[in-house]
Amino acid sequence: MRQCHKQTQSKYQPIQEFNREASTLTPKSNNVEVPRSAVEMKVLIEQMRAWLASRLR
């Protein structure tokens, strides 16, 4: 069980990193468009995660 969790976790690692990067963009910007774009990025990242999860079953 633990090994399976580690394998799944490592497959999602890049997506988790993308999500963290999108999250850090928002507080660092003074431009109104950046938070909006960060939200759009997070939606796309979630779609990628869902697609990947459906392929790994």
Side-chain angles (χ1 to χ4, degrees), residues 12 15 44-57:
Y12 289 112
I15 294 191
L44 293 172
I45 292 165
E46 177 56 27
Q47 290 172 350
M48 289 170 36
R49 188 207 58 76
W51 181 87
L52 182 60
S54 72
R55 299 302 186 262
L56 296 177
R57 289 185 198 174

Side-chain angles (χ1 to χ4, degrees), residues 22-54:
S23 294
T24 58
L25 285 175
T26 304
K28 293 181 177 181
S29 175
N30 294 330
N31 186 333
V32 175
E33 288 299 316
V34 172
R36 197 171 299 144
S37 295
V39 170
E40 290 176 19
M41 286 174 53
K42 291 183 91 159
V43 168
L44 293 172
I45 292 165
E46 177 56 27
Q47 290 172 350
M48 289 170 36
R49 188 207 58 76
W51 181 87
L52 182 60
S54 72

